[in-house]
Amino acid sequence: MGTMKPTRLNTHAQDAVCPAHAQTDHPKIPKEKIGVLLANLGTPDATDYWSMRKYLSEFLSDQRVIDYPAWKWQPILQGIILSIRPQKSGAAYKTIWNNEANESPLLTITKQQTSAISAALGSKYGEGVMVDYCMRYGNPSTKSKVAHMVAQGCTKILFFPLYPQYAGATVATANDQFFRALMEENWQPASRTVAPYFDKPEYIDALANSVERAYAGADKKPDILICSYHGLPERYLKEGGDPYHCQCRKTTRLLKEKLGWADTEIMTTFQSKFGPEDWLQPYTVEEVARQAEAGNKSIAVCAPAFSADCIETLEEINEEIKESFEEAGGETFLYIPCLNDDDAHISALTKVIEDNLSGWV
């Protein structure tokens, strides 16, 4: 038999105590807690070539993201793509990088969300619930954060991928990594994962409020709102039955109904196409140009699949997609930020967490 790894409990924690009914010489262990672990996509540690290459290699090697056989894909990825793409991606990140904190906006915003949710849960449950965050790719890793929660005495962990809609390339791979981390623990905590929350009334309300605020502050009312979602290969839907496409369209419909708008005032598109095969359509970058050519010279774009602003919103939407619109004759482009740490968003996420903690607290 192999050697069993010791349980990594933090016996020096301030709240460490001897278990009830234990002998007096029993080691102290932390008081039992419930952990809430928020998870997002990930971020490079810096914008230089090697930091970007490391991050992109981990991301694009995930078979939930790119499902080609490794023998076929890895030579292309390691030999061609990662020789070129790190410089291009690094340059894009530099345009949005939080230089003051020396980190990506996604990391900054995720920290803010974690702090706000921790305060909200702390006011209700005290120190019995701890909230932390991790990334699927890059740092802080899921594995390190699960180990930290176990060391702090978390005997139960609620894992919450911060994606409103389910996709295998986002929610499923985040859950996969969480389960792999649990496999490393000798004393394994009970665990739950959070289901998609795109249709929760509190989330739709927060989304609608953000749109109404943006429209109220605009110099000119946009002719149409483009709800741009991160794309996936069409094959994932047609062959794999991934529900992402349907959940994105339902998100737009629920938002439209909440706003009381007509069908002509809002539409669904998909961005971030990668590789030669067909992805979910219409493509945002092409659709905004069609809108300009059709006479809709003022448009707004929001990104309901992202819980926090990131490279896909701050650079791709607000720079590349905006440029496509303006080159086709568009005049006024309004990007509506993600919900980030908006109070209504924090309240919605906290409600989802509390619903999923039922029976534990």
Side-chain angles (χ1 to χ4, degrees):
M1 293 179 64
T3 302
M4 293 188 68
K5 293 182 296 183
T7 300
R8 294 170 293 194
L9 291 176
N10 182 9
T11 57
H12 300 292
Q14 290 185 347
D15 62 355
V17 295
C18 288
H21 311 298
Q23 295 181 352
T24 55
D25 61 347
H26 190 288
K28 292 183 178 181
I29 61 174
K31 289 183 179 179
E32 290 189 8
K33 302 180 185 69
I34 294 170
V36 176
L37 186 55
L38 310 174
N40 217 317
L41 180 75
T43 172
D45 293 328
T47 61
D48 63 277
Y49 172 84
W50 290 108
S51 295
M52 291 303 310
R53 182 179 178 113
K54 180 181 178 182
Y55 172 72
L56 290 171
S57 180
E58 184 182 9
F59 175 42
L60 296 176
S61 293
D62 185 351
Q63 286 213 308
R64 290 278 197 180
V65 176
I66 306 292
D67 66 350
Y68 302 145
W71 65 265
K72 181 179 182 180
W73 173 240
Q74 282 299 319
I76 299 172
L77 175 63
Q78 301 298 332
I80 302 173
I81 295 174
L82 292 181
S83 296
I84 302 170
R85 186 151 178 160
Q87 292 100 324
K88 182 178 179 181
S89 295
Y93 266 99
K94 284 180 182 178
T95 66
I96 65 166
W97 200 252
N98 180 348
N99 291 310
E100 184 177 349
N102 192 26
E103 62 190 23
S104 72
L106 176 66
L107 183 55
T108 301
I109 295 165
T110 304
K111 287 178 179 179
Q112 294 168 344
Q113 291 171 328
T114 302
S115 177
I117 292 172
S118 180
L121 293 175
S123 66
K124 190 168 185 178
Y125 303 113
E127 297 180 356
V129 175
M130 69 173 291
V131 183
D132 208 340
Y133 69 94
C134 65
M135 298 293 172
R136 170 59 183 90
Y137 315 104
N139 296 305
S141 69
T142 305
K143 179 180 176 180
S144 69
K145 290 296 187 171
V146 168
H148 175 68
M149 283 190 158
V150 171
Q152 293 299 312
C154 291
T155 57
K156 301 180 179 70
I157 297 178
L158 176 67
F159 186 69
F160 190 0
L162 292 175
Y163 307 102
Q165 303 83 15
Y166 175 93
T170 54
V171 175
T173 189
N175 287 341
D176 289 346
Q177 199 74 345
F178 174 58
F179 298 140
R180 291 188 193 102
L182 291 177
M183 291 171 66
E184 298 287 326
E185 297 303 322
N186 186 33
W187 188 349
Q188 196 176 68
S191 62
R192 293 175 178 174
T193 59
V194 176
Y197 58 94
F198 68 95
D199 56 354
K200 299 297 182 184
E202 296 82 6
Y203 168 72
I204 295 298
D205 287 349
L207 201 56
N209 289 341
S210 73
V211 172
E212 289 174 336
R213 283 198 306 270
Y215 271 51
D219 294 333
K220 178 182 179 183
K221 180 183 176 183
D223 299 313
I224 191 169
L225 172 64
I226 307 291
C227 295
S228 180
Y229 299 83
H230 196 288
L232 288 176
E234 284 187 351
R235 177 169 49 83
Y236 289 15
L237 166 67
K238 294 179 178 178
E239 297 179 10
D242 194 302
Y244 179 71
H245 178 261
C246 297
Q247 292 183 2
C248 290
R249 291 199 171 277
K250 185 174 180 181
T251 303
T252 302
R253 176 175 63 80
L254 292 173
L255 176 60
K256 180 199 71 173
E257 292 171 356
K258 181 64 182 180
L259 292 168
W261 287 3
D263 291 344
T264 54
E265 296 179 273
I266 189 170
M267 72 174 301
T268 297
T269 62
F270 299 90
Q271 64 182 86
S272 308
K273 181 182 183 297
F274 177 80
E277 62 182 309
D278 289 336
W279 279 40
L280 298 177
Q281 299 183 41
Y283 302 132
T284 306
V285 69
E286 296 177 0
E287 184 59 37
V288 295
R290 279 196 290 267
Q291 290 294 328
E293 291 165 356
N296 288 332
K297 302 297 185 180
S298 177
I299 67 170
V301 179
C302 67
F306 299 91
S307 63
D309 275 307
C310 54
I311 190 73
E312 286 86 356
T313 63
L314 297 175
E315 195 275 334
E316 186 177 357
I317 291 179
N318 214 19
E319 293 183 23
E320 294 178 28
I321 291 170
K322 178 182 179 182
E323 182 178 321
S324 175
F325 174 68
E326 292 176 342
E327 287 181 351
E331 298 172 357
T332 306
F333 184 95
L334 173 65
Y335 170 62
I336 301 175
C338 293
L339 296 177
N340 297 325
D341 64 340
D342 179 80
D343 289 345
H345 189 214
I346 297 303
S347 295
L349 295 177
T350 302
K351 176 64 165 56
V352 172
I353 291 169
E354 289 188 283
D355 289 346
N356 280 269
L357 290 177
S358 178
W360 278 6
V361 294

